[in-house]
mmCIF file of all heavy atoms in Angstrom:
data_model
loop_
_atom_site.group_PDB
_atom_site.id
_atom_site.type_symbol
_atom_site.label_atom_id
_atom_site.label_comp_id
_atom_site.label_asym_id
_atom_site.label_seq_id
_atom_site.Cartn_x
_atom_site.Cartn_y
_atom_site.Cartn_z
ATOM 1 N N ALA A 1 -6.197 -4.805 10.690
ATOM 2 C CA ALA A 1 -6.632 -5.446 9.448
ATOM 3 C C ALA A 1 -5.597 -6.430 8.911
ATOM 4 O O ALA A 1 -5.895 -7.202 7.999
ATOM 5 C CB ALA A 1 -6.917 -4.379 8.391
ATOM 6 N N GLY A 2 -4.392 -6.395 9.464
ATOM 7 C CA GLY A 2 -3.363 -7.317 9.008
ATOM 8 C C GLY A 2 -2.809 -6.966 7.637
ATOM 9 O O GLY A 2 -2.331 -7.845 6.906
ATOM 10 N N CYS A 3 -2.840 -5.676 7.285
ATOM 11 C CA CYS A 3 -2.383 -5.257 5.952
ATOM 12 C C CYS A 3 -0.929 -5.631 5.683
ATOM 13 O O CYS A 3 -0.554 -5.951 4.552
ATOM 14 C CB CYS A 3 -2.557 -3.749 5.792
ATOM 15 S SG CYS A 3 -4.243 -3.156 6.045
ATOM 16 N N LEU A 4 -0.104 -5.571 6.732
ATOM 17 C CA LEU A 4 1.320 -5.828 6.556
ATOM 18 C C LEU A 4 1.635 -7.306 6.361
ATOM 19 O O LEU A 4 2.788 -7.670 6.141
ATOM 20 C CB LEU A 4 2.098 -5.281 7.756
ATOM 21 C CG LEU A 4 1.947 -3.780 8.007
ATOM 22 C CD1 LEU A 4 2.850 -3.324 9.136
ATOM 23 C CD2 LEU A 4 2.257 -2.976 6.735
ATOM 24 N N ALA A 5 0.613 -8.143 6.439
ATOM 25 C CA ALA A 5 0.820 -9.556 6.144
ATOM 26 C C ALA A 5 1.089 -9.756 4.656
ATOM 27 O O ALA A 5 1.689 -10.758 4.251
ATOM 28 C CB ALA A 5 -0.402 -10.377 6.564
ATOM 29 N N CYS A 6 0.657 -8.784 3.839
ATOM 30 C CA CYS A 6 0.867 -8.875 2.389
ATOM 31 C C CYS A 6 1.623 -7.671 1.835
ATOM 32 O O CYS A 6 2.408 -7.800 0.906
ATOM 33 C CB CYS A 6 -0.475 -9.006 1.668
ATOM 34 S SG CYS A 6 -1.355 -10.545 1.989
ATOM 35 N N HIS A 7 1.344 -6.497 2.403
ATOM 36 C CA HIS A 7 1.931 -5.260 1.889
ATOM 37 C C HIS A 7 3.102 -4.787 2.745
ATOM 38 O O HIS A 7 3.136 -5.041 3.951
ATOM 39 C CB HIS A 7 0.880 -4.148 1.866
ATOM 40 C CG HIS A 7 -0.269 -4.404 0.962
ATOM 41 N ND1 HIS A 7 -0.214 -4.215 -0.403
ATOM 42 C CD2 HIS A 7 -1.541 -4.841 1.230
ATOM 43 C CE1 HIS A 7 -1.383 -4.514 -0.938
ATOM 44 N NE2 HIS A 7 -2.203 -4.899 0.028
ATOM 45 N N LYS A 8 4.006 -4.066 2.123
ATOM 46 C CA LYS A 8 5.091 -3.427 2.846
ATOM 47 C C LYS A 8 4.776 -1.946 2.961
ATOM 48 O O LYS A 8 4.264 -1.330 2.029
ATOM 49 C CB LYS A 8 6.419 -3.617 2.104
ATOM 50 C CG LYS A 8 7.651 -3.354 2.962
ATOM 51 C CD LYS A 8 8.901 -3.890 2.298
ATOM 52 C CE LYS A 8 10.101 -3.811 3.250
ATOM 53 N NZ LYS A 8 11.307 -4.429 2.658
ATOM 54 N N LEU A 9 5.057 -1.378 4.137
ATOM 55 C CA LEU A 9 4.787 0.034 4.366
ATOM 56 C C LEU A 9 5.818 0.584 5.336
ATOM 57 O O LEU A 9 5.958 0.080 6.447
ATOM 58 C CB LEU A 9 3.378 0.230 4.926
ATOM 59 C CG LEU A 9 2.956 1.672 5.229
ATOM 60 C CD1 LEU A 9 2.929 2.496 3.945
ATOM 61 C CD2 LEU A 9 1.590 1.699 5.901
ATOM 62 N N ASP A 10 6.558 1.580 4.899
ATOM 63 C CA ASP A 10 7.572 2.214 5.741
ATOM 64 C C ASP A 10 8.570 1.210 6.317
ATOM 65 O O ASP A 10 8.924 1.265 7.494
ATOM 66 C CB ASP A 10 6.902 2.991 6.878
ATOM 67 C CG ASP A 10 6.034 4.135 6.364
ATOM 68 O OD1 ASP A 10 6.319 4.629 5.247
ATOM 69 O OD2 ASP A 10 5.080 4.524 7.063
ATOM 70 N N GLY A 11 8.986 0.249 5.495
ATOM 71 C CA GLY A 11 10.015 -0.699 5.905
ATOM 72 C C GLY A 11 9.520 -1.904 6.667
ATOM 73 O O GLY A 11 10.317 -2.787 7.017
ATOM 74 N N GLN A 12 8.227 -1.989 6.919
ATOM 75 C CA GLN A 12 7.670 -3.132 7.636
ATOM 76 C C GLN A 12 6.696 -3.881 6.746
ATOM 77 O O GLN A 12 6.082 -3.306 5.849
ATOM 78 C CB GLN A 12 6.955 -2.671 8.912
ATOM 79 C CG GLN A 12 7.865 -1.993 9.924
ATOM 80 C CD GLN A 12 7.123 -1.607 11.193
ATOM 81 O OE1 GLN A 12 5.909 -1.505 11.195
ATOM 82 N NE2 GLN A 12 7.859 -1.412 12.271
ATOM 83 N N GLY A 13 6.545 -5.192 7.011
ATOM 84 C CA GLY A 13 5.576 -5.999 6.286
ATOM 85 C C GLY A 13 6.187 -6.915 5.248
ATOM 86 O O GLY A 13 7.407 -7.053 5.144
ATOM 87 N N GLN A 14 5.306 -7.535 4.477
ATOM 88 C CA GLN A 14 5.695 -8.518 3.474
ATOM 89 C C GLN A 14 5.654 -7.899 2.078
ATOM 90 O O GLN A 14 5.140 -6.784 1.889
ATOM 91 C CB GLN A 14 4.771 -9.733 3.543
ATOM 92 C CG GLN A 14 4.704 -10.391 4.908
ATOM 93 C CD GLN A 14 6.001 -11.083 5.283
ATOM 94 O OE1 GLN A 14 6.691 -11.632 4.426
ATOM 95 N NE2 GLN A 14 6.323 -11.073 6.574
ATOM 96 N N VAL A 15 6.188 -8.617 1.104
ATOM 97 C CA VAL A 15 6.228 -8.116 -0.269
ATOM 98 C C VAL A 15 5.397 -9.004 -1.191
ATOM 99 O O VAL A 15 5.687 -9.135 -2.369
ATOM 100 C CB VAL A 15 7.678 -8.024 -0.791
ATOM 101 C CG1 VAL A 15 8.431 -6.937 -0.079
ATOM 102 C CG2 VAL A 15 8.395 -9.366 -0.621
ATOM 103 N N ILE A 16 4.350 -9.603 -0.633
ATOM 104 C CA ILE A 16 3.473 -10.461 -1.437
ATOM 105 C C ILE A 16 2.631 -9.619 -2.379
ATOM 106 O O ILE A 16 2.421 -9.965 -3.541
ATOM 107 C CB ILE A 16 2.578 -11.302 -0.512
ATOM 108 C CG1 ILE A 16 3.434 -12.230 0.355
ATOM 109 C CG2 ILE A 16 1.567 -12.115 -1.325
ATOM 110 C CD1 ILE A 16 2.671 -12.960 1.427
ATOM 111 N N ALA A 17 2.134 -8.499 -1.882
ATOM 112 C CA ALA A 17 1.298 -7.578 -2.650
ATOM 113 C C ALA A 17 2.062 -6.269 -2.849
ATOM 114 O O ALA A 17 3.152 -6.088 -2.301
ATOM 115 C CB ALA A 17 -0.021 -7.360 -1.915
ATOM 116 N N PRO A 18 1.529 -5.328 -3.621
ATOM 117 C CA PRO A 18 2.248 -4.076 -3.898
ATOM 118 C C PRO A 18 2.718 -3.338 -2.646
ATOM 119 O O PRO A 18 2.018 -3.282 -1.638
ATOM 120 C CB PRO A 18 1.205 -3.250 -4.662
ATOM 121 C CG PRO A 18 0.362 -4.271 -5.351
ATOM 122 C CD PRO A 18 0.260 -5.414 -4.376
ATOM 123 N N ASP A 19 3.912 -2.759 -2.733
ATOM 124 C CA ASP A 19 4.489 -1.953 -1.664
ATOM 125 C C ASP A 19 3.671 -0.666 -1.545
ATOM 126 O O ASP A 19 3.418 0.023 -2.537
ATOM 127 C CB ASP A 19 5.943 -1.634 -2.008
ATOM 128 C CG ASP A 19 6.717 -1.037 -0.841
ATOM 129 O OD1 ASP A 19 6.122 -0.267 -0.064
ATOM 130 O OD2 ASP A 19 7.917 -1.336 -0.708
ATOM 131 N N LEU A 20 3.270 -0.323 -0.326
ATOM 132 C CA LEU A 20 2.434 0.854 -0.102
ATOM 133 C C LEU A 20 3.226 2.074 0.359
ATOM 134 O O LEU A 20 2.636 3.134 0.600
ATOM 135 C CB LEU A 20 1.356 0.534 0.945
ATOM 136 C CG LEU A 20 0.391 -0.604 0.606
ATOM 137 C CD1 LEU A 20 -0.602 -0.803 1.743
ATOM 138 C CD2 LEU A 20 -0.337 -0.333 -0.706
ATOM 139 N N THR A 21 4.538 1.938 0.475
ATOM 140 C CA THR A 21 5.351 3.032 1.004
ATOM 141 C C THR A 21 5.185 4.319 0.198
ATOM 142 O O THR A 21 5.162 5.417 0.765
ATOM 143 C CB THR A 21 6.830 2.621 1.038
ATOM 144 O OG1 THR A 21 6.965 1.421 1.825
ATOM 145 C CG2 THR A 21 7.674 3.710 1.666
ATOM 146 N N HIS A 22 5.045 4.199 -1.120
ATOM 147 C CA HIS A 22 4.872 5.381 -1.968
ATOM 148 C C HIS A 22 3.573 5.282 -2.773
ATOM 149 O O HIS A 22 3.493 5.780 -3.897
ATOM 150 C CB HIS A 22 6.066 5.520 -2.916
ATOM 151 C CG HIS A 22 7.385 5.621 -2.221
ATOM 152 N ND1 HIS A 22 7.744 6.699 -1.427
ATOM 153 C CD2 HIS A 22 8.430 4.751 -2.154
ATOM 154 C CE1 HIS A 22 8.943 6.510 -0.932
ATOM 155 N NE2 HIS A 22 9.392 5.337 -1.349
ATOM 156 N N VAL A 23 2.559 4.657 -2.173
ATOM 157 C CA VAL A 23 1.305 4.436 -2.899
ATOM 158 C C VAL A 23 0.651 5.749 -3.300
ATOM 159 O O VAL A 23 -0.028 5.837 -4.324
ATOM 160 C CB VAL A 23 0.329 3.594 -2.037
ATOM 161 C CG1 VAL A 23 -0.077 4.316 -0.763
ATOM 162 C CG2 VAL A 23 -0.900 3.196 -2.850
ATOM 163 N N GLY A 24 0.877 6.829 -2.521
ATOM 164 C CA GLY A 24 0.278 8.113 -2.838
ATOM 165 C C GLY A 24 0.796 8.744 -4.113
ATOM 166 O O GLY A 24 0.174 9.655 -4.659
ATOM 167 N N SER A 25 1.927 8.251 -4.599
ATOM 168 C CA SER A 25 2.491 8.798 -5.841
ATOM 169 C C SER A 25 1.801 8.214 -7.070
ATOM 170 O O SER A 25 1.951 8.748 -8.176
ATOM 171 C CB SER A 25 3.995 8.513 -5.908
ATOM 172 O OG SER A 25 4.248 7.116 -5.958
ATOM 173 N N ARG A 26 1.061 7.126 -6.873
ATOM 174 C CA ARG A 26 0.370 6.512 -8.008
ATOM 175 C C ARG A 26 -1.138 6.416 -7.828
ATOM 176 O O ARG A 26 -1.858 6.118 -8.773
ATOM 177 C CB ARG A 26 0.942 5.107 -8.268
ATOM 178 C CG ARG A 26 0.838 4.138 -7.111
ATOM 179 C CD ARG A 26 1.483 2.790 -7.448
ATOM 180 N NE ARG A 26 1.287 1.791 -6.414
ATOM 181 C CZ ARG A 26 2.088 1.610 -5.380
ATOM 182 N NH1 ARG A 26 3.180 2.385 -5.255
ATOM 183 N NH2 ARG A 26 1.837 0.670 -4.478
ATOM 184 N N ARG A 27 -1.614 6.666 -6.613
ATOM 185 C CA ARG A 27 -3.058 6.644 -6.360
ATOM 186 C C ARG A 27 -3.437 7.830 -5.477
ATOM 187 O O ARG A 27 -2.718 8.159 -4.537
ATOM 188 C CB ARG A 27 -3.495 5.359 -5.654
ATOM 189 C CG ARG A 27 -3.454 4.087 -6.492
ATOM 190 C CD ARG A 27 -3.946 2.908 -5.663
ATOM 191 N NE ARG A 27 -3.915 1.649 -6.368
ATOM 192 C CZ ARG A 27 -4.900 1.172 -7.118
ATOM 193 N NH1 ARG A 27 -6.017 1.890 -7.236
ATOM 194 N NH2 ARG A 27 -4.789 0.015 -7.726
ATOM 195 N N ASP A 28 -4.579 8.467 -5.768
ATOM 196 C CA ASP A 28 -5.077 9.503 -4.871
ATOM 197 C C ASP A 28 -6.020 8.852 -3.859
ATOM 198 O O ASP A 28 -6.269 7.644 -3.909
ATOM 199 C CB ASP A 28 -5.774 10.618 -5.649
ATOM 200 C CG ASP A 28 -6.942 10.105 -6.506
ATOM 201 O OD1 ASP A 28 -7.415 8.964 -6.274
ATOM 202 O OD2 ASP A 28 -7.379 10.849 -7.398
ATOM 203 N N ALA A 29 -6.538 9.645 -2.930
ATOM 204 C CA ALA A 29 -7.380 9.102 -1.857
ATOM 205 C C ALA A 29 -8.615 8.406 -2.405
ATOM 206 O O ALA A 29 -9.030 7.355 -1.903
ATOM 207 C CB ALA A 29 -7.784 10.223 -0.897
ATOM 208 N N GLU A 30 -9.209 8.976 -3.444
ATOM 209 C CA GLU A 30 -10.411 8.367 -4.022
ATOM 210 C C GLU A 30 -10.118 6.988 -4.603
ATOM 211 O O GLU A 30 -10.884 6.039 -4.424
ATOM 212 C CB GLU A 30 -10.991 9.274 -5.100
ATOM 213 C CG GLU A 30 -12.282 8.739 -5.709
ATOM 214 C CD GLU A 30 -12.872 9.683 -6.745
ATOM 215 O OE1 GLU A 30 -12.324 10.789 -6.924
ATOM 216 O OE2 GLU A 30 -13.871 9.312 -7.370
ATOM 217 N N SER A 31 -8.978 6.877 -5.303
ATOM 218 C CA SER A 31 -8.594 5.595 -5.883
ATOM 219 C C SER A 31 -8.304 4.557 -4.800
ATOM 220 O O SER A 31 -8.680 3.396 -4.918
ATOM 221 C CB SER A 31 -7.362 5.781 -6.774
ATOM 222 O OG SER A 31 -6.888 4.535 -7.248
ATOM 223 N N ILE A 32 -7.640 4.984 -3.727
ATOM 224 C CA ILE A 32 -7.325 4.075 -2.619
ATOM 225 C C ILE A 32 -8.610 3.618 -1.936
ATOM 226 O O ILE A 32 -8.778 2.436 -1.610
ATOM 227 C CB ILE A 32 -6.399 4.771 -1.614
ATOM 228 C CG1 ILE A 32 -5.023 5.012 -2.251
ATOM 229 C CG2 ILE A 32 -6.247 3.934 -0.338
ATOM 230 C CD1 ILE A 32 -4.094 5.867 -1.420
ATOM 231 N N ARG A 33 -9.522 4.559 -1.717
ATOM 232 C CA ARG A 33 -10.799 4.227 -1.091
ATOM 233 C C ARG A 33 -11.556 3.194 -1.930
ATOM 234 O O ARG A 33 -12.104 2.225 -1.401
ATOM 235 C CB ARG A 33 -11.629 5.499 -0.935
ATOM 236 C CG ARG A 33 -12.869 5.328 -0.071
ATOM 237 C CD ARG A 33 -13.732 6.587 -0.086
ATOM 238 N NE ARG A 33 -12.974 7.765 0.258
ATOM 239 C CZ ARG A 33 -12.776 8.791 -0.570
ATOM 240 N NH1 ARG A 33 -13.252 8.738 -1.816
ATOM 241 N NH2 ARG A 33 -12.097 9.842 -0.186
ATOM 242 N N LYS A 34 -11.567 3.405 -3.227
ATOM 243 C CA LYS A 34 -12.267 2.490 -4.120
ATOM 244 C C LYS A 34 -11.620 1.111 -4.113
ATOM 245 O O LYS A 34 -12.296 0.081 -4.134
ATOM 246 C CB LYS A 34 -12.273 3.054 -5.549
ATOM 247 C CG LYS A 34 -13.068 2.222 -6.537
ATOM 248 C CD LYS A 34 -13.104 2.888 -7.902
ATOM 249 C CE LYS A 34 -13.930 2.061 -8.895
ATOM 250 N NZ LYS A 34 -13.954 2.721 -10.240
#
């Protein structure tokens, strides 16, 4: 999906959009799915 073109995750990717490394601390699965 090319998510890392905008997001950072586990030290990889760009910082154009929110960092997803700790996304689970602010969103649950339902929120992420939505």
Side-chain angles (χ1 to χ4, degrees):
C3 303
L4 301 185
C6 293
H7 297 281
K8 197 166 188 175
L9 180 63
D10 297 334
Q12 297 182 340
Q14 304 291 325
V15 291
I16 297 172
D19 191 324
L20 300 179
T21 303
H22 302 293
V23 63
S25 63
R26 59 182 186 272
R27 289 181 181 271
D28 58 16
E30 183 178 355
S31 174
I32 292 172
R33 191 186 307 117
K34 184 176 181 180

